[in-house]
Structures are given as C-alpha cells and as structure tokens.
Amino acid sequence: MRRVEPLLYNDAMAALPIPAAKSAPEDSSEHVACAVCGADDPVQLFEKHGFSIVRCRPCGFAYVDPRPAWSEVARIYRGESYYRNDNEY
C-alpha cells in the first residue's frame, strides 16, 4: 500500500499572497455587520482566544466582531499550532 503524505494547510497558506499591511497597528480590526442578512444588531455570546463571538439578533448567524485584520488572520492560519489540538478547555 502506498503511503500518502498529508497536505498541511500551512503549506497551502504559504503559497497565498498576503496583502501589504497598511500603516495600521498589528491589532487593528473592524466592526462588521452580519454577512447573512446585513443587519447591524449583534449580541455578544462569548470570547474565545481573544475574539468576541456575537450572534445577529434578526437571523441568528454567529460571527467574530470586530473582525481581525487580514494580517492577523494570516498569522493565525499560518502557524502550525492552529492545526494541532493544543487547546485547553
């Protein structure tokens, strides 16, 4: 039987271009409305790993708000630790 090497998402992310960071602070983020219905009426559910998870009151969709900057998202997904279950509950 041929052994198949798993493709690490980290390798795939390394191939993606990251937009040049504008002169914004590393922790910049932006408030976003619901991507499903467009409403701007969230209620905070909880925080996890420093991110605020909210639920849209009109449609019930849960999402991160404020949304982290692209550079922060790329940093999270590029890190090998994201793909391991090192979380403590």
Side-chain angles (χ1 to χ4, degrees):
M1 181 173 4
R2 190 180 100 179
R3 184 170 185 242
V4 177
E5 291 293 325
L7 172 65
L8 294 177
Y9 193 68
N10 193 33
D11 295 337
M13 285 297 290
L16 294 176
I18 295 179
K22 298 174 184 162
S23 58
E26 279 292 316
D27 63 345
S28 66
S29 58
E30 64 179 324
H31 170 73
V32 291
C34 178
V36 174
C37 72
D40 191 8
D41 188 15
V43 60
Q44 184 167 356
L45 297 176
F46 58 90
E47 281 197 25
K48 185 159 186 173
H49 303 291
F51 297 102
S52 178
I53 311 303
V54 300
R55 182 173 308 280
C56 176
R57 290 178 202 258
C59 76
F61 182 66
Y63 58 99
V64 174
D65 187 40
R67 177 174 52 204
W70 172 249
S71 59
E72 176 67 7
V73 173
R75 184 190 66 75
I76 293 166
Y77 286 109
R78 282 198 172 178
E80 219 176 282
S81 63
Y82 178 81
Y83 303 97
R84 294 188 193 136
N85 189 7
D86 294 340
N87 296 329
E88 293 183 25
Y89 297 96

